[in-house]
Amino acid sequence: MSERESEAPEDRKPQSDEARSAFTQPSGVAPPAPVAEEDSSTTSEFSVPQGLSVHAVEIAEVEGSAFTPPRTYSSRQSPPAFTPAQGIPVVRLTKEAPWQDRMRTMLRMPVAERPAPEKVHKEDETGPAVPRVLDLTLRIGELLLAGGEGAEDVEAAMFAVCRSYGLDRCEPTVTFTLLSITFQPSLVDDPVTASRTVRRRGTDYNRLAAVFRLVDDISDEDVEVSLEEAYRRLAEIRRNRHPYPGWALTAASGLLAGAASILVGGDLIVFFAAAIGAMLGDRLAWLCAGRGFPEFYQFTVAAMPPAGIGILLTLAEVDVRASAVITGGLFALLPGRALVAGVQDGLTGFYITASARLLEVMYFFVGIVIGVLIMLYVGVQLHAELNPEAALKVIDRPYWQIAASMALSLAFAVLLQQERSTVLMVTLNGGVAWVVYGAMHVAGGISPVASTAAAAGLVGLFGQLFSRYRFASALPYVTAAIGPLLPGSATYFGLLAIAHNDVNAGLVYLSQAAALAMAIAIGVNLGGEISRLFIRSPGAEGRRAAKRTRGF
């Protein structure tokens, strides 16, 4: 009998489904060795697998892997490619730096990387009153934006107020006419949003400086300013009277036009003619404002008297430069303040606000053009000998022009309602700007656009340094000082060429005026950025800006 036949009958019966399971040991395979009792515990997923020697692991660590740190890695001295074991270092905002720089640095940080707020002394035991803090923040931002401050500085001021009163997780947003701020108590709570619309705009740098002092006191941890005290001071700022009366503003507009006429080659008769024309235009603009006319028509009406006086002097055959009279009147009307603020907003990334400001500048400029063109067409019809070739004549009177540039900056500071303590600095800054422009353009033969940009950059540099020294806004130290650099002559001769039906020459002059205006605005902003090289920026990495490569 064979061996297969000698097996027991029960061994030849078919196997059950459980016996044929994939997890059962097949017949003919030796069972594995029993596992020791001490190795029966669950192994860790980070342990070395069976069959892999420890020597191979050491070799892999030496060669490097995508999942293993390099040999130089240390928890105390970790390379920048790895998050340190102790976490991301805290950014310390030094108290010595102005609040503008500290808040601007925080606004440019991602929310997750902003330093943790310290205990705020202005927060009550029951917590901050969120609606009142947001309302106070919006009112302060409204005054700053209406006064012509840049959108980034307005956001920095709003963030400083909210953070000082315990609202750290807030995001301010500023556009040309709308202010909004959002506060989220935590990741699971609903956000609280408030907004405010800027209806009226006014030029009062005295009020602007007072608001900056209020924000400085609120953000200072060593000064106790409660919500009630902040509201009281804000109400006083709103009710504050202008530092100069109306007659002083009219006289300042006349002084500005007369000084500008001296800059472009006028004499004593031209000085008084330009001053009278500017004062008449100022009074007509005030009359239109009292009747509720928009600013476009105010600029149009204000540009007509200086041009009319220049044409009358030409018809009377008085031996003066009529172009200097009209140019002096244009200097008092060119919107240099709005131009600088618009370009600054564009360079700092606030494109909507920058577009709105530049559109406002364009409307003002068109109003001035219409007013001057109306009078020039009247003069051409009356056969007034207005010579566009007079633009080629360069008048070199350095001492008179330096004095005139300083007088122009002084008058501009009064028109902007600046504090009397800042007028002297602005006057000197305007004189320095004209000296640099004259040295580069007249003496050095450099193009007027490059000379204007260099002089405006110096104005922006000194203005930022002055403002940081006084912990105030830079606008009062910059806006009036760029007055001597405004493109009044190029604007006038462009309009005069158009009035003589020489459109091509007129467009060339107007393009030069636009290039000079952009050079002023960009130079002022660049000078302000250069000033930060001399000022230690708060934080470990300084200010953060957008980084783009080839438009992406």
Side-chain angles (χ1 to χ4, degrees), residues 203-413:
T203 304
D204 189 349
Y205 283 178
N206 183 34
R207 178 180 297 176
L208 191 69
V211 176
F212 261 73
R213 284 193 294 268
L214 174 60
V215 177
D216 186 25
D217 291 341
I218 291 176
S219 59
D220 192 354
E221 297 181 357
D222 299 330
V223 179
E224 181 67 31
V225 181
S226 61
L227 273 175
E228 289 74 15
E229 177 68 16
Y231 268 107
R232 185 191 64 79
R233 291 179 58 178
L234 189 62
E236 290 182 355
I237 293 173
R238 285 182 172 275
R239 292 193 303 265
N240 187 23
R241 296 177 60 88
H242 298 304
Y244 307 103
W247 65 266
L249 299 180
T250 302
S253 64
L255 176 62
L256 192 155
S261 66
I262 299 296
L263 281 179
V264 295
D267 53 10
L268 188 61
I269 298 177
V270 172
F271 176 87
F272 285 106
I276 292 173
M279 287 189 290
L280 288 176
D282 181 75
R283 287 294 92 190
L284 288 176
W286 276 102
L287 181 62
C288 293
R291 296 293 186 272
F293 282 86
E295 287 184 296
F296 176 84
Y297 300 106
Q298 297 177 26
F299 275 83
T300 302
V301 171
M304 298 175 70
I309 291 180
I311 294 173
L312 289 177
L313 290 176
T314 304
L315 293 174
E317 297 182 355
V318 180
D319 189 15
V320 295
R321 294 190 64 178
S323 61
V325 177
I326 303 176
T327 301
L330 289 177
F331 266 86
L333 297 175
L334 292 177
R337 172 183 59 86
L339 175 66
V340 172
V343 174
Q344 178 184 358
D345 288 340
L347 294 177
T348 52
F350 294 84
Y351 301 113
I352 297 178
T353 306
S355 302
R357 288 186 190 271
L358 294 178
L359 185 62
E360 181 187 37
V361 171
M362 187 191 72
Y363 271 101
F364 291 163
F365 188 77
V366 170
I368 297 171
V369 167
I370 292 175
V372 175
L373 277 180
I374 290 174
M375 301 309 297
L376 290 180
Y377 275 120
V378 172
V380 170
Q381 296 300 321
L382 296 176
H383 304 288
E385 297 181 358
L386 300 171
N387 185 16
E389 300 298 329
L392 301 177
K393 298 179 181 179
V394 179
I395 307 298
D396 188 12
R397 297 180 300 179
Y399 298 107
W400 281 99
Q401 289 174 334
I402 292 174
S405 64
M406 296 177 67
L408 192 153
S409 299
L410 172 64
F412 212 162

Side-chain angles (χ1 to χ4, degrees), residues 11 35 45 58 86 133 143 175 179 223 227 246 281-282 291-292 303 348 370 452 495 497-498 514 544:
D11 294 337
V35 181
E45 61 180 352
E58 293 176 354
Q86 64 272 16
V133 172
L143 286 180
T175 57
L179 298 168
V223 179
L227 273 175
D282 181 75
R291 296 293 186 272
T348 52
I370 292 175
T452 301
L495 299 179
I498 293 175
R544 290 194 176 188

Side-chain angles (χ1 to χ4, degrees), residues 73-76 78-89:
Y73 177 76
S74 173
S75 60
R76 295 184 178 180
S78 57
F82 290 85
T83 303
Q86 64 272 16
I88 299 176

Side-chain angles (χ1 to χ4, degrees), residues 2-350:
S2 63
E3 183 179 359
R4 185 179 299 272
E5 294 177 355
S6 62
E7 293 180 357
E10 59 270 17
D11 294 337
R12 294 195 300 267
K13 64 181 180 180
Q15 299 288 333
S16 65
D17 293 338
E18 183 179 359
R20 292 197 298 267
S21 174
F23 299 98
T24 59
Q25 189 71 30
S27 59
V29 178
V35 181
E37 185 177 354
E38 59 271 15
D39 296 332
S40 61
S41 59
T42 305
T43 59
S44 172
E45 61 180 352
F46 299 103
S47 61
V48 179
Q50 288 183 345
L52 181 63
S53 63
V54 181
H55 180 66
V57 176
E58 293 176 354
I59 295 176
E61 290 182 356
V62 172
E63 294 179 353
S65 171
F67 302 99
T68 57
R71 289 177 297 172
T72 58
Y73 177 76
S74 173
S75 60
R76 295 184 178 180
Q77 298 178 353
S78 57
F82 290 85
T83 303
Q86 64 272 16
I88 299 176
V90 179
V91 178
R92 299 295 182 184
L93 300 178
T94 59
K95 297 181 181 179
E96 291 77 13
W99 63 265
Q100 302 100 300
D101 290 340
R102 289 187 281 120
M103 295 301 110
R104 188 183 292 111
T105 301
M106 294 190 62
L107 282 175
R108 294 189 175 188
M109 287 182 180
V111 179
E113 296 184 13
R114 290 177 183 173
E118 300 177 0
K119 185 178 180 180
V120 184
H121 67 279
K122 302 175 182 64
E123 183 178 352
D124 299 333
E125 295 181 357
T126 58
V130 175
R132 297 192 65 193
V133 172
L134 297 183
D135 179 71
L136 175 67
T137 303
L138 291 174
R139 291 179 182 273
I140 290 177
E142 178 190 9
L143 286 180
L144 293 176
L145 188 62
E149 191 62 66
E152 188 177 29
D153 290 331
V154 176
E155 284 194 359
M158 295 172 64
F159 189 78
V161 175
C162 283
R163 185 177 175 84
S164 299
Y165 286 108
L167 306 185
D168 180 63
R169 301 178 61 88
C170 61
E171 289 294 335
T173 304
V174 176
T175 57
F176 185 58
T177 57
L178 181 65
L179 298 168
S180 64
I181 187 166
T182 302
F183 169 68
Q184 189 174 13
S186 65
L187 295 176
V188 297
D189 293 331
D190 295 332
V192 180
T193 303
S195 61
R196 193 173 183 87
T197 304
V198 179
R199 300 291 184 184
R200 298 183 59 186
R201 298 178 181 273
T203 304
D204 189 349
Y205 283 178
N206 183 34
R207 178 180 297 176
L208 191 69
V211 176
F212 261 73
R213 284 193 294 268
L214 174 60
V215 177
D216 186 25
D217 291 341
I218 291 176
S219 59
D220 192 354
E221 297 181 357
D222 299 330
V223 179
E224 181 67 31
V225 181
S226 61
L227 273 175
E228 289 74 15
E229 177 68 16
Y231 268 107
R232 185 191 64 79
R233 291 179 58 178
L234 189 62
E236 290 182 355
I237 293 173
R238 285 182 172 275
R239 292 193 303 265
N240 187 23
R241 296 177 60 88
H242 298 304
Y244 307 103
W247 65 266
L249 299 180
T250 302
S253 64
L255 176 62
L256 192 155
S261 66
I262 299 296
L263 281 179
V264 295
D267 53 10
L268 188 61
I269 298 177
V270 172
F271 176 87
F272 285 106
I276 292 173
M279 287 189 290
L280 288 176
D282 181 75
R283 287 294 92 190
L284 288 176
W286 276 102
L287 181 62
C288 293
R291 296 293 186 272
F293 282 86
E295 287 184 296
F296 176 84
Y297 300 106
Q298 297 177 26
F299 275 83
T300 302
V301 171
M304 298 175 70
I309 291 180
I311 294 173
L312 289 177
L313 290 176
T314 304
L315 293 174
E317 297 182 355
V318 180
D319 189 15
V320 295
R321 294 190 64 178
S323 61
V325 177
I326 303 176
T327 301
L330 289 177
F331 266 86
L333 297 175
L334 292 177
R337 172 183 59 86
L339 175 66
V340 172
V343 174
Q344 178 184 358
D345 288 340
L347 294 177
T348 52
F350 294 84

